[in-house]
Amino acid sequence: MHAPPAGTAATLPPQQSVPAAQPAAEPARESPYATPWWIWALAGGLFFLYMTLSLRTHQRLLSHSYDLGIFDQVVRSYAAGRLPVSELKAPDFPILGDHFSPVLALLAPLYRLWPSAQTLLVAQAALVAASVLPLTRWAHRTLGARAAVVTGLCYGLSWGIASGVGFDFHEVAFAVPLLACSLAALGSGRLRAAAWWALPLVLVKEDLGLTVAAIGLVIVRRAGRGDRAGRRTGAALALAGAAGTLLATVVVLPAFNPGGAYAYLSYLGGGDAQGGGGFGDLLRKATVGMVTPETKVSTLVLVLAPSLFLALRSPLVCVALPTLLWRFASGNSAHWGTGYHYSLVLMPIVFAAFVDALVRRRASGAAGARRHLIGAAAMCVVLLPAFSLWRLAEPATWRTDPRIAVAHRLMDMIPDGATVQASDGLVPHLTQRTSTSLYGWPDSRPDPEWIIVDTTVAPERRWPLSAQQELIALDGARAQGYRTAAQENGFVLLNRRS
């Protein structure tokens, strides 16, 4: 520091001196506490919607053995300090031989406090609602408050989110906030943070390692030639993601699976909808098969529609490719459409790409951001009535069928720890305290102590038995020594004679 000119100190007032030069202030680091209150309120409101929809669906006996019952058994195992098993898959079936999702162990402490399938539904609502925060904060910083409100609402009410929270619980709920945080950091130029947020995805589900690899490649592209550290980070992440999927599918899952293989590879060989094999079949699936039947094209259009296809102008949309590719290559037709939870992980990717594209347009001086936001809001409104969240506006959702009380009264007659076979909609209400399997499923544990069946299920919801098959099976159980312990309002409770 240079000395002050001679005589300067004498002219200063008493007890004052020349201030020392201060180092340049570092940019303030982002903190969750800096999030505007209304973003927290938005996430909180969406959490309430998701939770209400999930819990009300469960209370109306409309949740399912596959998948809520399975995951309840898995988390119950972790809470008891055991490796996870699911009776619904098969007697004592090791679930780490089905899907690699050790992240579910994080729910064990909550489950010990509140042992119920409802714990999983509330946790899923919280995880999905939490994903609103990073995307909305990013939009607020770069596009302003109004754009952030529109983005947050359109994302939170999007059809992919609605389909996911409206159908049971799934492990990919953990992936949603991780993806949102990673892509928001990536879009903001925080490459290392993006990598750290993405890496835990390999513990959520085996295929998400490929999504991690895609994020790594986008980081390499984003870093450019001048940022060697960023390129190394991206390359390391891409390798870690690919290695995670390879390790899970080739080593871990076959080691736990009773069949000694990764069961879902069979979907790529034809599954339940497509036959054939060999190089010709593989070539067809990799080309024409990606856009046929037309369900796949419809799904792809709907995935991009909430962003008015503006997401295609951002490299972040490439992160959706692994999920789209395995779904469209699958022989299981359920993977092709917009139902269930399969599009849940795509929504944070599409909306992150949407925000990134808007930021790029603004940086280049292009107009039209407001027009795109209005269009996205209109698309959200148009699609909303066709998907699960709209059920909250339907009067039937809030009517309580007297049969529900009857079902619970009969289920309460089954003692804790008993072996049970139950109808699909009853299974998730028994898994927390009994050894429950699905009635009519060929791999269910044979000769259970109790059988409880809802004989009035609507035909479109019946699974795995038709009404006629169910009637024959119940008569067969009685012939084998089961007695009718109770029969009321269409519910039949059988007990095996000792």
Side-chain angles (χ1 to χ4, degrees):
M1 187 174 75
H2 295 289
T8 301
T11 63
L12 294 174
Q15 299 183 351
Q16 288 193 12
S17 61
V18 176
Q22 299 295 322
E26 295 183 358
R29 292 185 178 181
E30 295 177 10
S31 165
Y33 301 103
T35 304
W37 67 269
W38 53 267
I39 295 182
W40 288 104
L42 174 61
L46 290 168
F47 164 70
F48 181 77
L49 287 180
Y50 304 153
M51 180 180 66
T52 302
L53 174 63
S54 296
L55 294 180
R56 189 59 187 155
T57 299
H58 182 64
Q59 290 162 1
R60 296 172 65 207
L61 306 183
L62 297 177
S63 50
H64 302 273
S65 56
Y66 281 57
D67 290 313
L68 181 57
I70 289 176
F71 285 114
D72 189 66
Q73 291 177 334
V74 170
V75 177
R76 181 186 178 190
S77 298
Y78 279 125
R82 305 190 306 266
L83 285 176
V85 296
S86 174
E87 283 283 296
L88 287 160
K89 296 290 293 185
D92 297 320
F93 185 90
I95 209 67
L96 287 176
D98 186 56
H99 285 302
F100 184 68
S101 303
V103 71
L104 291 170
L106 295 177
L107 295 178
L110 289 176
Y111 196 89
R112 286 182 67 89
L113 295 174
W114 188 16
S116 168
Q118 296 177 79
T119 301
L120 278 62
L121 297 174
V122 174
Q124 175 172 259
L127 288 165
V128 176
S131 70
V132 175
L133 296 171
L135 292 175
T136 309
R137 288 180 62 221
W138 177 28
H140 181 239
R141 290 194 311 269
T142 55
L143 299 170
R146 291 181 181 177
V149 170
V150 173
T151 301
L153 282 173
C154 290
Y155 168 69
L157 300 176
S158 62
W159 68 265
I161 296 291
S163 294
V165 299
F167 184 76
D168 292 0
F169 168 90
H170 301 91
E171 73 279 76
V172 292
F174 282 94
V176 179
L178 290 172
L179 280 168
C181 288
S182 177
L183 296 177
L186 180 50
S188 301
R190 296 179 290 119
L191 306 185
R192 182 167 294 183
W196 282 115
W197 280 114
L199 192 57
L201 289 168
V202 298
L203 303 178
V204 176
K205 200 170 174 223
E206 64 276 4
D207 64 279
L208 287 173
L210 300 178
T211 300
V212 173
I215 293 174
L217 294 177
V218 175
I219 289 176
V220 171
R221 183 184 186 279
R222 197 86 171 201
R225 295 183 178 180
D227 184 359
R228 292 185 178 180
R231 290 173 66 85
R232 284 196 298 268
T233 297
L237 184 67
L239 289 174
T245 290
L246 188 64
L247 183 65
T249 56
V250 175
V251 179
V252 178
L253 290 166
F256 281 95
N257 190 288
Y262 177 44
Y264 296 99
L265 282 179
S266 63
Y267 285 156
L268 300 180
D272 63 4
Q274 297 176 353
F279 178 75
D281 185 60
L282 182 63
L283 181 62
R284 181 187 60 79
K285 287 182 180 180
T287 53
V288 178
M290 285 294 169
V291 291
T292 57
E294 62 275 6
T295 303
K296 298 177 183 179
V297 177
S298 300
T299 296
L300 183 59
V301 169
L302 280 173
V303 165
L304 297 169
S307 71
L308 298 184
F309 298 89
L310 193 64
L312 291 172
R313 299 191 180 185
S314 167
L316 298 187
V317 78
C318 296
V319 177
L321 285 177
T323 297
L324 289 171
L325 288 175
W326 78 252
R327 284 178 60 184
F328 292 168
S330 171
N332 184 348
S333 58
H335 294 155
W336 306 339
T338 57
Y340 309 108
H341 62 289
Y342 297 114
S343 297
L344 186 59
V345 298
L346 296 177
M347 292 298 103
I349 300 171
V350 168
F351 277 88
F354 180 53
V355 173
D356 187 51
L358 289 176
V359 172
R360 287 166 175 265
R361 287 179 63 85
R362 172 171 288 187
S364 65
R370 181 180 179 185
R371 184 170 64 250
H372 281 98
L373 289 166
I374 293 173
M379 184 62 68
C380 176
V381 171
V382 168
L383 293 176
L384 188 59
F387 293 92
S388 302
L389 283 172
W390 192 253
R391 294 205 299 260
L392 293 173
E394 297 174 349
T397 299
W398 306 104
R399 288 196 291 266
T400 301
D401 188 340
R403 296 182 68 252
I404 294 175
V406 175
H408 283 286
R409 179 156 46 80
L410 267 59
M411 287 190 286
D412 287 344
M413 295 174 63
I414 301 173
D416 293 354
T419 57
V420 186
Q421 283 191 18
S423 293
D424 182 45
L426 302 178
V427 164
H429 298 268
L430 290 164
T431 47
Q432 76 275 11
R433 64 180 187 86
T434 67
S435 177
T436 314
S437 51
L438 178 62
Y439 186 68
W441 186 247
D443 290 330
S444 292
R445 184 180 292 276
D447 303 321
E449 297 169 295
W450 296 82
I451 295 173
I452 183 166
V453 177
D454 182 359
T455 63
T456 65
V457 177
E460 65 273 11
R461 295 191 64 250
R462 277 196 168 274
W463 182 76
L465 299 179
S466 68
Q468 184 65 26
Q469 291 171 332
E470 185 175 85
L471 180 62
I472 294 172
L474 287 172
D475 288 341
R478 292 187 180 100
Q480 292 172 9
Y482 283 85
R483 66 178 181 87
T484 302
Q487 186 167 349
E488 186 177 351
N489 275 26
F491 294 102
V492 177
L493 178 65
L494 304 180
N495 179 225
R496 188 177 62 199
R497 290 190 180 96
S498 56

